[in-house]
Amino acid sequence: MPELSRNDLKQRINKGTIDKIYLFYGEEKMYIKTDTDRLVEKLAGKSPAEFNYHNFVSNYTLDDVAVAVQVAPFVSERNVVRVADLDMNALGKDDLDKLKAIIENVPDTTSLILTMPTLPQDIKKLGAGFNKILKVVQKLGTTCQYRRETDISLANQIVRWADKRGKKIEQADSYKLQEYVGDDLYTIKNELDKLCSYVGEREFITGEDIDLLVPRRLEADVFKLTNEIVGCNSDKAYNMLDALFSQRAEPDSILAVISNAYIDFYRMRVASDSGVSAKVIAEDFGYGNRAFVLNRIPPAVKRMTTESLRKSLDVITDTIGNLHSTSLNKRIELEKLVAKLLLFAGEKQYVKR
């Protein structure tokens, strides 16, 4: 069967269209768990009987799964077997063959659910073992891939979650919440629940509420640091750097975000000179759901020369090398980097030809 979208899967579950084998995988773990629970409830009820529902979460073997799959349902239409977070890439050839045989011999009265609610997975690098089993399930059952939400769909999801709690949040503030906590749905949901409780009887969740209650990601704070640097605000830049160190942020992590920001700055400068849109840059360099960062380049970057941006990238590269030396003080190296970046930001203004 062709791979199903999440909406198609939900429709099949709601209609009671049942398959013998399911494989739910991907990066959006919250949806994987939600849909797995929905399917189990549809197949086995809200309180599954132990003899008709076999839930393998940890400390299980493929032999255990093989036995459970062959159990005949008792006072029920189906025997349900849920296998969570089986790392197929860690299996040897014999075990992969054993798993393949289990899948190929699932009785008509059993539904085997292979689900990945916590196992980290990169959609672009699923691994040979996983892909082998994926192909088997695609021939015999149902597969559903869960990719990360786009910024727009995630913003809309935040609005819907707030609405279910009887609260309102402007779309701009839903983007702000994403910027602060990232794109992990569990984290966003937890922070939104906290915000809903905080506002009490008030209808709207505001940007000020988010500033007050939601801990900011390192990326957001370091991006603000780069804003101050390119704006030549040395005092604010050093104060923000001090704040990051006081929060025990790792120097390598701070530098990585600075590096990514300056790469974005340079790409957008070259794109602007060439008449290329941010959308094309995002597609060419695989930004995916990070494409929004290209639309929030600090206005001060427009005043920097292309040569200044190149020199900035050069000193960032040098600093990356220096941080790998255990004999150097990493904090001092970052302070020196900020000083050089401020110097380059203050060079003569850029004039587009």
Side-chain angles (χ1 to χ4, degrees):
M1 178 184 295
E3 190 156 81
L4 297 181
S5 68
R6 187 175 183 232
N7 285 335
D8 289 340
L9 174 67
K10 289 166 68 176
Q11 288 179 13
R12 286 178 68 83
I13 293 175
N14 292 337
K15 290 178 181 178
T17 304
I18 306 305
D19 294 299
K20 293 197 301 179
I21 308 153
Y22 296 87
L23 175 55
F24 300 159
Y25 68 101
E27 299 161 333
E28 198 48 84
K29 300 305 182 183
M30 182 175 179
Y31 287 156
I32 291 176
K33 183 180 184 304
T34 298
D35 289 352
T36 301
D37 291 345
R38 180 185 289 112
L39 177 60
V40 168
E41 182 176 330
K42 187 70 174 181
L43 296 174
K46 291 185 177 180
S47 302
E50 183 177 344
F51 37 79
N52 288 323
Y53 176 52
H54 313 272
N55 185 22
F56 295 102
V57 179
S58 61
N59 299 322
Y60 61 86
T61 68
L62 289 178
D63 289 334
D64 296 330
V65 176
V67 171
V69 163
Q70 296 299 324
V71 171
F74 179 71
V75 195
S76 176
E77 293 184 4
R78 301 201 71 75
N79 172 47
V80 180
V81 181
R82 175 183 179 271
V83 180
D85 294 324
L86 177 59
D87 189 353
M88 300 166 192
N89 293 318
L91 298 178
K93 182 181 183 302
D94 289 346
D95 280 339
L96 279 173
D97 289 341
K98 182 182 292 186
L99 178 58
K100 180 174 178 288
I102 291 171
I103 293 169
E104 291 173 338
N105 291 283
V106 173
D108 291 338
T109 53
T110 291
S111 284
L112 171 62
I113 306 169
L114 302 172
T115 180
M116 308 295 168
T118 64
L119 183 71
Q121 289 185 298
D122 183 343
I123 292 298
K124 297 179 180 179
K125 299 177 182 178
L126 289 169
F130 183 88
N131 279 318
K132 179 177 180 178
I133 299 303
L134 176 62
K135 290 177 181 178
V136 176
V137 178
Q138 286 175 336
K139 291 180 181 178
L140 302 173
T142 294
T143 63
C144 188
Q145 181 187 102
Y146 294 76
R147 291 182 176 272
R148 288 289 188 194
E149 294 269 18
T150 64
D151 295 312
I152 294 175
S153 61
L154 184 50
N156 292 334
Q157 179 63 70
I158 292 170
V159 171
R160 289 194 294 270
W161 277 337
D163 190 60
K164 286 183 179 180
R165 291 287 301 268
K167 303 299 177 186
K168 304 292 183 185
I169 183 170
E170 297 287 352
Q171 194 169 57
D173 289 325
S174 70
Y175 282 118
K176 186 174 193 175
L177 182 57
Q178 289 182 58
E179 180 183 343
Y180 277 22
V181 304
D183 56 9
D184 180 76
L185 287 182
Y186 283 116
T187 304
I188 290 175
K189 186 70 162 52
N190 288 338
E191 293 299 330
L192 186 63
D193 287 343
K194 183 170 67 176
L195 287 163
C196 288
S197 298
Y198 171 76
V199 300
E201 298 299 320
R202 181 152 46 90
E203 182 180 14
F204 274 87
I205 297 168
T206 67
E208 288 76 14
D209 297 326
I210 295 171
D211 285 333
L212 180 64
L213 290 183
V214 178
R216 303 178 188 182
R217 293 183 306 162
L218 175 65
E219 183 177 350
D221 283 339
V222 178
F223 190 82
K224 290 181 179 179
L225 168 62
T226 61
N227 284 3
E228 302 300 344
I229 292 172
V230 297
C232 299
N233 300 316
S234 58
D235 288 342
K236 289 184 178 180
Y238 281 114
N239 286 338
M240 291 195 70
L241 186 61
D242 286 340
L244 287 166
F245 281 121
S246 69
Q247 295 164 15
R248 298 185 178 180
E250 290 294 328
D252 296 87
S253 299
I254 296 173
L255 182 55
V257 180
I258 292 176
S259 176
N260 288 336
Y262 269 82
I263 290 171
D264 295 337
F265 298 165
Y266 184 73
R267 284 173 177 166
M268 286 302 293
R269 162 54 49 71
V270 175
S272 176
D273 287 349
S274 306
V276 177
S277 68
K279 181 179 179 181
V280 172
I281 293 296
E283 292 173 352
D284 287 349
F285 289 94
Y287 277 74
N289 60 10
R290 287 189 67 254
F292 71 95
V293 301
L294 297 176
N295 296 315
R296 63 173 192 178
I297 302 298
V301 172
K302 296 179 180 179
R303 300 194 296 270
M304 292 180 64
T305 66
T306 305
E307 182 60 23
S308 294
L309 287 170
R310 287 180 182 143
K311 288 192 290 186
S312 297
L313 287 171
D314 286 341
V315 297
I316 289 170
T317 301
D318 291 340
T319 305
I320 291 173
N322 291 341
L323 288 196
H324 291 160
S325 172
T326 56
S327 62
L328 295 176
N329 185 305
K330 293 187 175 184
R331 173 165 184 158
I332 292 176
E333 288 300 308
L334 278 183
E335 289 174 345
K336 287 163 60 177
L337 171 63
V338 169
K340 292 175 182 177
L341 294 177
L342 284 164
L343 180 63
F344 296 144
E347 290 181 347
K348 66 180 181 179
Q349 293 188 349
Y350 170 78
V351 178
K352 186 175 180 179
R353 297 178 180 179

